[in-house]
Amino acid sequence: MLHRGAAAGPRPFNSCLVEAHLQARNKHPAHLKRQRCRTIHRSACGAGDITTCGSNTVDALNAQLLYEEHPPRAPNFIGPIKVIEMPGKGRGIVASADLKPGTLLLAVPPVAYLCEVDAPRPSGETLVDEIIDKGLWKHSWMQSLYDGSYQGTSMPSLDMPSVASGSNASTREVLDEENSPSSQRAGTSSGATNSGGPSTTNPEAACMQSGFSPEDKTRIAKMTKFNCFGDNREDDALCAVSGRPSAGHIGIWGPFAMLNHSCAPNTMNYVVDTANQGIMVVRAAKAIAQGEEVTISYMGRPQLRPVGPRQVKLLSDYGFECDCQRCLQEQALEEKLGDLYEGLWDEVSERRRPEFDEACLTYAETGDEEDLQALHEHLQASMTQLLGKLQKARVAPNARLAILGSMFELFELKMDVELALDYTEEFVYTLGTATKAVQAVSPGSDLAVSLASVLIVTQARLHGAESPQVAQGKALSDEALLARYGPIKDDALKSQLRKANLTMYN
């Protein structure tokens, strides 16, 4: 997705337009066996079928999203949020009430959606073809999406219906109702084929039949590029708990597309593919004050880089420079930290990681730990130097954690070395600091939940299941679980989710 305040010049349509902007994980988990793959097109709830806030409703929906393999119908839930025009950003979403961590903000079906069970996500080009082939570009949400220009865009209402990709009766009924002037902005004509008529599997032929030009196809591709979300898997822990296979997925969710980026977002999101419905779930991962902007991260793993590499990534992929609080804090500290900060990140990612791989090979072949020990000493010295700089600069605790969150590759490599050397106590200290840092900048992420789960198990081995150290680990875990899954009243379920996150992501 593109930051709504950024402007992008026109460019010709090409097959890489969408692919380069997907929020997809880099690899498919090895534990998932590749079974028969199928692409699934489906529809969700119909027009006007919006559920709003209510404690009983939210409790039931939370349980449905956590427990049930086949819920009876797709939810279309909108929490206490609203779309507004934001100075310098265009449209965005703000909280319409004070929000606690774990509050459900969205549980909505997609406008367009494709998935493959037990396989990586379908391609972005395939989603563009599906949108054209099924006539989904006529949907009011599609017409309101940012396409690189604000010409013709409108201020959407979050209670507009969302409709998933598909060719069954419920999809056709909604699309047939939406023969509005806004639909004509996509280049349709009186002879355009709607999705209720015969469908063609050839997108180019669909373009010809519908009467719009290659420029219109480029616009649809741009809307998809700037607003789609894709991932190679769902939340594997939820899949394990509910007994469902994981699905690689890609789609567009109208209300979700209104959320702007922050490098330290106050929400988390993932797709729950229960009953093949592709529900986008968004929760408050931190306390959010009424009127405060509700944000997500567009980046995935690059979110854990220093500010310089993050800005390069965002400018390259999305066309804007981020001015979130985390970026401004880090930029203000650059002079105090000198070359140590980003220089250390470059060193770890470009030099020390290959050194670790070579040292592991040497250890496996000869049993010689000398190279691993030397690498650990270097990493420990670098960590000590960084922490000393932060203390000398009198960096506030929150900003300090944000800086450490930007150096996760250093923590990760140090933990890998400590595990290889069986330095358990050092590993636990590094892991505890890394868990707090990741939760600070990426609250409720699968990584934060996983790290906390590993911390509990390791502390229990060192100090016993009833030790204060395990209690501290559980407190970190509870914070991450609340942000990701909402309030969990069932202790057995909480234990299952911890165990599943430990198994799936460790």
Side-chain angles (χ1 to χ4, degrees), residues 57 64 103 186 235 310 414 449:
T57 299
Q64 174 180 310
T103 301
D235 183 302
R310 287 202 314 271
K414 189 168 182 288
V449 175

Side-chain angles (χ1 to χ4, degrees), residues 328-396:
L328 295 177
Q329 283 180 334
E330 288 186 45
Q331 288 167 342
L333 287 170
E334 282 183 325
E335 184 176 345
K336 294 181 179 180
L337 295 177
D339 296 334
L340 172 67
Y341 180 40
E342 291 188 11
L344 181 57
W345 180 83
D346 288 336
E347 177 188 328
V348 169
S349 58
E350 295 176 7
R351 179 180 172 187
R352 300 303 174 184
R353 174 59 68 177
E355 284 184 4
F356 171 71
D357 295 337
E358 291 180 11
C360 284
L361 285 175
T362 300
Y363 176 60
E365 292 172 355
T366 68
D368 186 353
E369 296 181 348
E370 184 176 349
D371 290 343
L372 282 172
Q373 291 171 345
L375 179 57
H376 184 260
E377 289 176 5
H378 178 84
L379 295 174
Q380 183 63 55
S382 297
M383 184 73 74
T384 301
Q385 186 180 8
L386 176 62
L387 293 174
K389 284 265 190 180
L390 292 172
Q391 183 175 7
K392 185 177 180 180
R394 297 182 179 179
V395 177

Side-chain angles (χ1 to χ4, degrees), residues 371-441:
D371 290 343
L372 282 172
Q373 291 171 345
L375 179 57
H376 184 260
E377 289 176 5
H378 178 84
L379 295 174
Q380 183 63 55
S382 297
M383 184 73 74
T384 301
Q385 186 180 8
L386 176 62
L387 293 174
K389 284 265 190 180
L390 292 172
Q391 183 175 7
K392 185 177 180 180
R394 297 182 179 179
V395 177
N398 288 342
R400 178 177 178 273
L401 282 176
I403 291 288
L404 296 180
S406 300
M407 295 300 298
F408 180 73
E409 291 198 24
L410 172 60
F411 284 100
E412 186 176 47
L413 180 57
K414 189 168 182 288
M415 287 188 288
D416 287 344
V417 176
E418 288 162 349
L419 284 174
L421 291 169
D422 200 23
Y423 290 178
T424 307
E425 291 188 5
E426 291 90 340
F427 169 77
V428 170
Y429 177 80
T430 308
L431 173 61
T433 307
T435 303
K436 294 175 185 177
V438 170
Q439 179 66 6
V441 298

